[in-house]
Amino acid sequence: MLIYNPTLDPYHCAIRVLAILEFGNKRNLPIDSVRIAEFYLAYPSKVGSIRLPNELRAIRKVSRKYETPYRNPFDIKATFQRMHPIFQASISTLAAAGFITPELIKQDYLERTDLSLPVDLKHAVADFQSRHAEIRRFIIDELTSINLL
């Protein structure tokens, strides 16, 4: 039996990536930061399991009340790895469409270009962002601001 899982759909991934780049407080971000944030946008209830700096630990309590909009992963690490090729395909598609800067991908950064999103895509990104706004704001602004090193 085949089960469709939106976390493994490149188009759903593209919407999550665009939500990070459209609604975030930084113009460009390291690819790894976006990849991590994209994972937690797919699984917001898992934010509570992240080791965070002391000033950000209050979000753990908030994350417990959120349900994951997709099927919960059996193994978080394996799911994160399975999502990697989908993430790569999504950013390649977004770069080919002109929504992110292709030259920066080679430098391991993602930057949103000034090209306007089509109306339907803009609505899909805004709709995704508006759901569970509190945890999404944390993931997009705070989580992507943490130095990965």
Side-chain angles (χ1 to χ4, degrees):
M1 175 159 109
L2 294 176
I3 298 174
Y4 173 71
N5 186 348
T7 57
L8 302 176
D9 182 329
Y11 298 107
H12 280 263
C13 180
I15 288 171
R16 293 188 298 266
V17 169
L18 285 171
I20 294 165
L21 297 175
E22 285 283 309
F23 293 100
N25 56 12
K26 290 188 176 178
R27 181 79 178 137
N28 63 29
L29 291 165
I31 285 181
D32 288 338
S33 291
V34 175
R35 183 173 170 228
I36 292 166
E38 187 267 329
F39 175 82
Y40 285 107
L41 283 176
Y43 298 109
S45 64
K46 301 300 179 194
V47 169
S49 63
I50 303 172
R51 283 190 321 181
L52 295 167
N54 289 336
E55 64 271 10
L56 299 177
R57 288 192 179 170
I59 199 65
R60 285 184 175 173
K61 190 179 206 181
V62 174
S63 74
R64 289 186 199 123
K65 69 181 178 182
Y66 288 104
E67 297 213 11
T68 298
Y70 310 116
R71 277 183 47 221
N72 273 320
F74 295 112
D75 180 351
I76 292 174
K77 290 180 183 179
T79 301
F80 184 71
Q81 291 303 321
R82 284 182 60 208
M83 290 173 70
H84 187 254
I86 286 92
F87 177 80
Q88 292 294 86
S90 295
I91 62 172
S92 294
T93 300
L94 291 171
F99 298 129
I100 59 176
T101 308
E103 297 79 26
L104 283 178
I105 294 172
K106 296 172 188 160
Q107 299 170 16
D108 292 328
Y109 277 85
L110 293 181
E111 179 180 62
R112 176 76 173 88
T113 65
D114 294 330
L115 183 64
S116 295
L117 296 175
V119 174
D120 290 342
L121 184 55
K122 185 179 252 183
H123 287 318
V125 172
D127 180 55
F128 177 81
Q129 171 57 22
S130 68
R131 286 181 264 141
H132 309 307
E134 184 179 16
I135 194 78
R136 296 208 191 289
R137 178 63 38 214
F138 169 80
I139 293 168
I140 291 172
D141 288 339
E142 302 294 336
L143 195 59
T144 57
S145 297
I146 297 172
N147 187 338
L148 293 176
L149 300 177

